[in-house]
Amino acid sequence: MTQRQSRQRQSEADALGPWFHNLHLPDGTQTAPDHPLGDFPRVKWQHLVAVIPADLRGWRALDIGCNAGFYTFELAKRGAQVVAIDVDQHYLDQAQWAARQYNLEQQIEFRRWQIYDLARTDEQFDLILFMGVFYHLRYPLLGLDLVAQRLRRMLVFQSLMIKGHAPYTATDGLGIQDDREVMNDPGWPKLAFIEHTFANDPTNWWVPNTAGAEALLRSAGLRVEQNLGYEMLICAPDPDNRSCVTTWNRAELLAATGRPWQV
Ligand SMILES: C[S@@+](CC[C@H](N)C(=O)[O-])C[C@H]1O[C@@H](n2cnc3c(N)ncnc32)[C@H](O)[C@@H]1O
């Protein structure tokens, strides 16, 4: 590539800014080299690299909140067919432009979707990335239930989390007259609600502690297989612990997603 072409690439990237993902394009152009979180999200990807199968040929993947597509491109480079969704057209424009730079357009389908739009499809995905989105949801368990219902093999869940404190495990079987003080235990599964802003962002609604995140995932019918640290959990469908939304509580999910529920 000539210097002139490289300058052209850089000015196209600048025109699509601001960028949240620092992509390293094939010609060496970086989209957010001065990112406040470092070489983001490559710094996070380093902890995932060995956990995601190196060969994803034949896998169908879903990247929720794909942003500029960093993770989408990593999965596509490994051979996956990826559906990449995001609510924000600004980020989808970046991702679609970058897909052309990587020559990966054939493997990726971008959709301007809310996570809740998953209620309108029966598609199943071998691998789902649910990273950096959970805490942005006003209806987090609805989002998680929809995700879990679309999963075939492996989920990467990443959220802002409240750190510390061993999980409080004896959460079952309290009676209505029992003292609820135990729920103040720091390890009790929790979601902290953000009424106004967190990190200057009014779209940050809920921050789980680790026990809370793991309990929610289990409640959605998933097995937490690995806590990678760095707020990342690796999960798989748990056939021995099916979600209540597939059994006695199916009507609530159907009603919440505008589908007929009365038998
Ligand atoms: C913090 S960024 C995380 C981006 C990427 N997944 C990552 O981990 O680096 C959150 C992304 O989720 C998108 N998003 C927020 N709410 C969403 C929703 N309800 N459905 C789909 N995408 C959403 C935002 O537009 C943004 O691109």
Side-chain angles (χ1 to χ4, degrees), residues 20-21 40-41 64-65 67 71 86-88 91 113-116 131-133 135-137 158:
F20 178 62
H21 279 174
F40 188 88
I64 299 167
N67 202 268
Y71 296 111
D86 204 290
V87 282
D88 194 328
Y91 292 130
W113 265 19
Q114 289 264 0
I115 193 171
Y116 311 110
M131 302 178 67
V133 177
Y135 52 90
H136 286 301
L137 303 178
Q158 185 269 322

Side-chain angles (χ1 to χ4, degrees), residues 21 23 41 45 48 60-76 80-87 92 95 108-115 118 125-133 147 154-156 158:
H21 279 174
L23 304 177
W45 174 246
L48 262 183
R60 227 172 113 62
L62 172 68
D63 185 4
I64 299 167
C66 62
N67 202 268
F70 177 93
Y71 296 111
T72 292
F73 302 137
E74 293 301 328
L75 302 186
Q81 286 292 330
V82 189
V83 174
I85 69 170
D86 204 290
V87 282
L92 288 171
I108 305 166
E109 184 189 339
F110 292 103
R111 299 180 191 166
R112 188 168 185 212
W113 265 19
Q114 289 264 0
I115 193 171
L118 289 172
F125 300 93
D126 300 291
L127 170 61
I128 301 183
L129 303 187
F130 186 13
M131 302 178 67
V133 177
V147 169
M154 181 182 198
L155 170 76
V156 182
Q158 185 269 322

